[in-house]
Amino acid sequence: MKTGLVMEGGAMRGMFTAGVLDVMMEHDITFDGAVGVSAGAAFGCNIKSRQIGRVIRYNKKYCQNKEFVSLESWLKTGDLYGVDFGYRRIPLELDVFDVETFQNTPMDFYVVATDMDTGMPVYHNCLNGDAQDLEWIRASASMPVASRPVVIDGQRLSDGGTSDSVPLRFMESEGYGKNVVILTQAPDYRKNTMKHYGLIKAMLKDEPVMIEALDIRPFMYNQEIRYVHDQEKRGHVFVIQPPESLNIGSVCRDPDELERVYQVGRKAALDRLEALQAFLAK
């Protein structure tokens, strides 16, 4: 039975996921395949390149750099998180992404993006960790309004969380019968209409398909969470999630706060390490 890893997004809540992944790598826990959504893609790719500590390291180092993330970047380029700095300079120069290990690690790594013209999820298997794959990861993490669309092979793509926030069903359809799901919200969380949604809709007035997708996102998300926990009760899924709200925003310029959330992830993984190993060994 193939083992899979499903990683929810959540912007800087992804520091929780980074902590979980580092513990997994430190204990040689591997998977046949993984899928990441948004921050789950941008940070999760490091489990295939086997780079322990890379996510927390570069986020703490550059979180106060305006080229990395800032209102100025958004006003100037249309991207809150700077594309050149975040997807070129960091992986190619400043904290190099290990492309060779990524290519040689025998694990499929899928990312989810949303087709802006259909509102449907698009799944891409990143095989090479090259510039094209980094564009797919960027597309998956391109939050509506906060980022420009990413165009790949004629498709206009946006944040994967809009159309498939927790793609467990996708992994099951690909033959992964035993899945670990990393959620970044607390167990009692249920999604409601987004804060400032009226403003977001106004800014997306020329994208009716995206507005429709965002309209139904709370229902979709809550339904997916119910499915995850149903599969958990059946013994097919192992869930790791924070015990309570992480209380961190989509942007965080405080290295200590990033470290705090990262350590919550590490603790959650260590607390359940033996149970996780037993689940995967069945």
Side-chain angles (χ1 to χ4, degrees), residues 95-194:
D95 200 323
V96 176
F97 185 62
D98 189 343
V99 174
E100 182 177 0
T101 299
F102 185 94
Q103 292 174 349
N104 292 331
T105 298
M107 178 181 77
D108 287 324
F109 185 78
Y110 298 93
V111 300
V112 188
T114 299
D115 187 320
M116 296 183 67
D117 296 311
T118 67
M120 299 300 293
V122 182
Y123 307 92
H124 174 76
N125 191 358
C126 297
L127 298 173
N128 302 309
D130 57 10
Q132 180 83 337
D133 282 345
L134 288 177
E135 281 294 278
W136 275 99
I137 291 170
R138 179 165 77 91
S140 182
S142 292
M143 297 178 288
V145 176
S147 307
R148 292 172 294 170
V150 178
V151 180
I152 302 176
D153 296 332
Q155 281 186 303
R156 296 188 314 128
L157 301 169
S158 183
D159 192 334
T162 302
S163 57
D164 194 354
S165 296
V166 189
L168 173 60
R169 284 188 176 91
F170 165 75
M171 289 297 279
E172 291 174 340
S173 74
E174 293 294 311
Y176 296 91
K178 187 185 295 186
N179 290 285
V180 174
V181 179
I182 302 175
L183 301 175
T184 61
Q185 296 282 15
D188 62 351
Y189 176 81
R190 295 298 179 268
K191 187 173 288 297
N192 296 308
T193 302
M194 286 188 295

Side-chain angles (χ1 to χ4, degrees), residues 8 55 146 163:
E8 182 185 6
V55 174
S163 57

